[in-house]
Amino acid sequence: MTAELTEAVASARAGDEEAFRFLYRSLQPALLRYLTTLVGTEAEDVASETWLQISRDLPSFTGGEFRAWAVTIARNRAMDHLRRQRRRPVVPVPVQALTDLAADADTADRAGEAIGTESALALIRTLPPAEAEAVMLRAVIGLDAETAGRVLGRRAGAVRTAAHRGLRRLAAMLERAEDAPGVAPEGARGAVPPRPRTDRPAPHAPEAEPAEG
């Protein structure tokens, strides 16, 4: 956590409204992306519930990693929401339908850099829930493996493995989307626009049939 964020947390705990707004602006975009992987289009409602609880409980925050504390609240609110709706986290396509292609380091890095785009977020929602959460907590929220593990109740090594597998799977899906113009991966229709083809020859008019006799 940066010194600026630490200072803002301390000021917000003391009742500084401007500091609280700074915390909201700093964390809300990533928090909303994370919640989207859990509850889909209802992420904004759950985020609102999250910030209500954060504002209520902030005076009793005892220190530590604020982002981890906030995302734990968000995750609990998301799970409560899903239980109320009797729904599972949004995973529109079974992972078995995807080809688990290996990706080299450069491709995995590129996948990580693309996570902020809407198309990549749509693809992340097709990952197994454990991988999707690990990718979001590590690459979007910015938590280290140990902290993310505490949020998820899992070992740090398991979180690292899940995040690595998720990034590899995401990189493979991004490559497949780019190599198949006009065809977006199932579950992300319309999310990845077709790449224009520039290598097609210009159409030729059909040759005239020879005149008879």
Side-chain angles (χ1 to χ4, degrees), residues 20 55 80 130 141:
F20 187 84
S55 65
D80 288 345
I141 302 295

Side-chain angles (χ1 to χ4, degrees), residues 1-198:
M1 187 163 64
T2 65
E4 189 177 18
L5 193 61
T6 301
E7 182 179 343
V9 170
S11 298
R13 289 185 62 200
D16 187 331
E17 293 185 3
E18 183 58 35
F20 187 84
R21 284 193 287 270
F22 174 81
L23 294 178
Y24 177 86
R25 291 193 300 268
S26 299
L27 190 56
Q28 170 69 354
L31 197 64
L32 197 57
R33 291 187 181 101
Y34 170 65
L35 287 170
T36 299
T37 68
L38 299 179
V39 298
T41 58
E42 295 165 329
E44 289 191 4
D45 291 339
V46 177
S48 296
E49 295 177 10
T50 298
W51 283 104
L52 283 174
Q53 183 174 345
I54 289 173
S55 65
R56 184 181 69 241
D57 295 349
L58 188 57
S60 62
F61 176 62
T62 57
E65 172 59 88
F66 175 76
R67 291 173 302 176
W69 180 72
V71 82
T72 298
I73 291 175
R75 189 173 193 270
N76 290 339
R77 295 288 69 76
M79 295 302 106
D80 288 345
H81 178 82
L82 291 171
R83 281 191 288 268
R84 287 196 302 269
Q85 298 297 321
R86 295 182 180 179
R87 290 173 47 187
R88 292 178 58 83
V90 179
V91 183
V93 174
V95 159
Q96 290 76 9
L98 304 173
T99 303
D100 189 7
L101 301 177
D104 60 25
D106 290 340
T107 304
D109 288 344
R110 186 168 60 83
E113 293 170 359
I115 283 177
T117 67
E118 291 301 318
S119 59
L121 290 175
L123 293 175
I124 290 171
R125 292 197 291 273
T126 71
L127 296 175
E131 292 181 13
E133 281 200 82
V135 168
M136 296 301 291
L137 290 179
R138 296 294 313 281
V140 176
I141 302 295
L143 302 183
D144 58 41
E146 289 75 13
T147 304
R150 288 195 293 272
V151 171
L152 299 173
R154 304 176 64 194
R155 297 191 309 277
V159 173
R160 288 192 191 92
T161 299
H164 178 67
R165 288 176 177 170
L167 282 174
R168 288 182 61 192
R169 210 185 297 267
L170 176 62
M173 288 189 288
L174 287 171
E175 282 195 338
R176 292 173 62 190
E178 290 179 356
D179 291 340
V183 180
E186 198 69 32
R189 297 288 184 192
V192 181
R195 188 169 55 184
R197 294 292 298 272
T198 59

